[in-house]
């Protein structure tokens, strides 16, 4: 099966861009002017020559048939994936049938396409052949796990002592000590191989700078850290699902070991979060038949986009395998039976009151949960003083839009899409408000990414 039956939209193409500069540069190359010998195949490949500043045009080819997302090759020197030429070629393909006619790939494009598909087939065959190296030495793996658990336990005990010292000295000392206190504590948690604790400790350092009421917020976060530490120290007494959640929150690795679920998975949203060491891509999926919401995580080194790319509005026929943990939504992408293709599926919407109730219910299973994925039906973005909210069109209730979302251009795309009329909005609902990620107009219409 191929993706040639229905072409992508410009928004779906631009969602692949690694940054705003690439999105802008790629948009300029989405017209026929700089392109020659462009073409596409029934097997999901697109190619073309793009005139650049040198004497030779850049050879650009994109393979759309990979179920994990498009693959790219370009002779330009850019280290971004996709580069602006690949984005421009896909925009040209998405918008103009005549500019990218069907045909046979030239030799330079055909060799690359054939080679990567052959390697992909060998990789899939290898994944199913024989036991992994970890399985071959279960005793060694058990000893490594025990040693790490001992270090994590030592880190949890030390953190408990530091939290007790903070409360005895008073929360005002946190503001006087500055961020250095928390950074040093976080470094100790990294040494203990408790990266989950380290990440939460680093967040504590920024709370005194968040304005009025920060002592309450700091106390709340300290209480959650204490609860997590106590959960780890008493993990043997917890139900299996909650114990798995605690291990995950502490930062211990886990394998997806649930029962695989095959469905047509609609890509609801995709966005990246970066720090100095890592770029994390979050991809939300909705099962057309199972009505399940699932989360895919993909990682890339700092400054590089993760490999997995599934633009909003596409759907893929695939299996996903859940990770352990009570209320856990994270899954691993398994066998894909067809490449991603545009779809008109929409998740059912709920009211703002129901969304808030879902978050409350989810906290019973995972008290450290920042937010839950929710689709709101028939809401209208409206001003609320200096802020914004999503108000139900059919009842007197609303959810505040999170501070982070208010500072992004996506808010104005949402307001323009609505124009005062109800819209359907998918996003994350949590204690900081609702973060809109994708929206659909009333009636027929394509998904609009808001991130």
């Amino acid at each position: 099966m191929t993706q040639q039956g229905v072409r992508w939209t410009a928004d779906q193409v631009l969602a692949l861009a690694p940054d705003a500069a690439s999105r802008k540069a790629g948009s300029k190359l989405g017209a026929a002017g700089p392109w020659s010998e462009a073409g596409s195949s029934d097997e999901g490949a697109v190619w073309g020559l793009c005139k650049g500043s040198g004497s030779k045009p850049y050879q650009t080819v994109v393979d759309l048939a990979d179920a994990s997302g498009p693959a790219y090759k370009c002779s330009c020197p850019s280290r971004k994936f996709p580069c602006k030429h690949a984005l421009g070629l896909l925009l040209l393909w998405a918008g103009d049938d005549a500019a990218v006619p069907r045909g046979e790939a030239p030799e330079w494009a055909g060799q690359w396409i054939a080679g990567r598909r052959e390697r992909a087939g060998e990789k899939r065959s290898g994944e199913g052949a024989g036991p992994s190296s970890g399985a071959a030495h279960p005793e060694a793996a058990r000893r490594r796990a025990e040693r790490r658990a001992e270090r994590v336990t030592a880190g949890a005990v030390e953190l408990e002592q530091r939290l007790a010292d903070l409360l005895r000295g008073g929360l005002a000392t946190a503001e006087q000590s500055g961020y250095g206190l928390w950074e040093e504590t976080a470094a100790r948690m990294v040494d203990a191989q408790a990266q989950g604790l380290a990440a939460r400790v680093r967040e504590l350092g920024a709370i005194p700078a968040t304005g009025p009421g920060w002592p309450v917020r700091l106390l709340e976060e300290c209480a959650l850290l204490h609860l997590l530490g106590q959960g780890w120290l008493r993990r043997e007494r917890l139900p299996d699902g909650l114990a798995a959640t605690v291990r995950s929150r502490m930062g211990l690795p886990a394998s997806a070991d649930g029962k695989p679920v095959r469905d047509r998975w609609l890509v609801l949203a995709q966005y990246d979060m970066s720090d100095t060491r890592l770029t994390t891509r979050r991809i939300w999926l909705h099962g057309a038949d199972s009505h399940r919401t699932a989360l895919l995580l993909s990682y890339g080194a700092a400054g590089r986009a993760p490999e997995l790319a599934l633009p909003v509005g596409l759907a893929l026929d695939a299996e996903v395998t859940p990770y352990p943990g009570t209320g856990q939504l994270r899954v691993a992408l398994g066998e894909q039976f067809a490449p991603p293709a545009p779809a008109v599926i929409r998740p059912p919407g709920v009211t703002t009151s129901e969304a808030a109730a879902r978050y409350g219910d989810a906290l019973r299973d995972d008290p450290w949960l920042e937010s839950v994925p929710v689709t709101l039906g028939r809401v209208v973005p409206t001003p609320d003083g200096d802020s914004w909210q999503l108000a139900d069109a059919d009842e007197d209730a609303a959810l505040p839009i999170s501070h982070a979302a208010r500072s992004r251009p996506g808010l104005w795309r949402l307001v323009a899409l609505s124009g005062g009329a109800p819209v359907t909005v998918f996003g994350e609902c949590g204690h900081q408000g609702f973060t809109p990620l994708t929206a659909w107009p009333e009636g027929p219409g394509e998904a609009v990414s808001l991130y």
Side-chain angles (χ1 to χ4, degrees):
M1 297 182 66
T2 76
Q3 296 187 13
Q4 294 292 325
V6 181
R7 301 207 173 203
W8 294 15
T9 66
D11 281 345
Q12 288 166 344
V13 171
L14 292 175
L16 300 169
D19 51 41
S22 298
R23 190 176 299 114
K24 182 177 180 180
S27 297
K28 293 180 179 178
L29 295 175
W35 293 96
S36 61
E37 300 182 27
S40 62
S41 73
D42 290 334
E43 290 74 35
V46 185
W47 59 84
L49 301 176
C50 186
K51 182 175 175 56
S53 56
S55 58
K56 292 184 178 181
Y58 295 121
Q59 297 176 336
T60 308
V61 56
V62 181
D63 185 3
L64 295 163
D66 192 321
S68 63
Y72 322 91
K73 182 174 177 58
C74 185
S75 58
C76 76
S78 175
R79 298 181 63 184
K80 295 181 179 180
F81 294 95
C83 67
K84 63 181 181 180
H85 305 103
L87 289 170
L89 177 62
L90 286 177
L91 287 171
L92 184 68
W93 167 77
D96 190 347
D97 278 336
V100 189
R102 303 285 180 87
E104 184 175 347
E107 183 178 2
W108 58 268
Q111 288 181 348
W112 177 78
I113 294 166
R116 73 169 308 278
R117 290 181 180 176
E118 181 180 352
R119 291 190 295 273
E122 292 173 351
K123 181 179 179 181
R124 286 192 295 269
S125 299
E127 287 174 349
S132 66
S133 58
H137 304 285
E139 182 60 26
R142 184 187 63 79
R143 289 197 298 268
R144 286 194 299 271
E146 287 180 351
R147 288 196 296 270
R148 178 167 187 177
E150 290 172 359
R151 287 192 287 268
V152 171
T153 296
V157 170
E158 180 177 343
L159 180 60
E160 286 287 288
Q161 184 61 53
R162 295 195 176 208
L163 290 175
D165 291 344
L166 171 67
L167 295 178
R168 275 195 297 269
L171 296 181
T173 60
E175 187 176 30
Q176 297 166 3
S177 301
Y179 191 76
L181 167 68
W182 303 110
E183 185 58 37
E184 191 268 338
T185 303
R188 295 287 299 152
M189 297 304 102
V190 171
D191 292 342
Q193 294 188 299
Q195 280 82 358
L197 283 181
R200 298 190 76 94
V201 167
R202 287 194 181 96
E203 293 175 1
L204 293 180
I207 291 179
T210 57
W214 70 261
V216 174
R217 293 190 289 276
L218 180 61
L219 185 61
E220 290 172 347
E221 291 301 317
C222 287
L224 286 172
L225 262 178
H226 169 69
L227 182 64
L228 183 56
Q230 289 298 311
W232 172 261
L233 295 174
R234 292 168 171 78
R235 62 191 181 279
E236 303 299 337
R237 308 179 196 173
L238 300 178
D240 291 344
L242 183 56
T245 298
V246 168
R247 286 194 293 270
S248 174
R249 291 297 180 185
M250 294 293 286
L252 272 69
S255 299
D257 58 3
K259 183 180 179 181
V261 179
R262 181 176 177 178
D263 207 333
R264 284 191 69 218
W265 296 98
L266 171 68
V267 182
L268 289 174
Q270 172 181 288
Y271 65 93
D272 294 349
M273 301 184 300
S274 300
D275 57 29
T276 57
R277 297 178 296 270
L278 192 68
T279 298
T280 301
R281 175 164 293 167
R282 294 169 64 86
I283 302 176
W284 285 109
L285 305 175
H286 167 73
D289 297 323
S290 64
H291 301 294
R292 294 179 60 160
T293 303
L295 175 65
L296 286 174
L297 296 181
S298 182
Y299 302 96
R304 293 184 66 87
E307 288 188 9
L308 184 61
L310 298 173
V312 173
L314 298 188
L316 61 157
D317 181 4
E319 284 185 343
V320 300
T321 303
Y323 278 78
T326 305
Q328 175 69 264
L329 297 178
R330 186 185 173 190
V331 298
L333 185 60
E335 183 177 358
Q336 298 112 55
F337 304 96
V344 294
I345 309 167
R346 288 192 191 184
V350 301
T351 67
T352 56
S353 299
E354 290 170 330
R358 284 191 182 183
Y359 179 54
D361 291 342
L363 288 175
R364 291 200 301 263
D365 294 330
D366 184 352
W368 308 278
L369 193 64
E370 295 287 337
S371 60
V372 293
V374 177
T375 301
L376 300 176
R378 290 185 53 77
V379 291
V380 182
T382 57
D384 181 26
D386 295 333
S387 182
W388 283 80
Q389 63 183 5
L390 291 172
D392 273 301
D394 304 315
E395 63 178 47
D396 186 20
L399 280 176
I401 292 179
S402 66
H403 176 77
R406 297 199 301 269
S407 63
R408 299 191 191 111
L411 172 61
W412 303 113
R413 288 201 293 272
L414 175 60
V415 172
L417 178 70
S418 166
V423 291
T424 299
V425 184
F426 170 78
E428 296 172 348
C429 180
H431 64 93
Q432 295 183 349
F434 188 89
T435 300
L437 297 174
T438 307
W440 297 263
E442 284 280 272
E446 297 170 346
V448 176
S449 178
L450 305 175
Y451 195 90

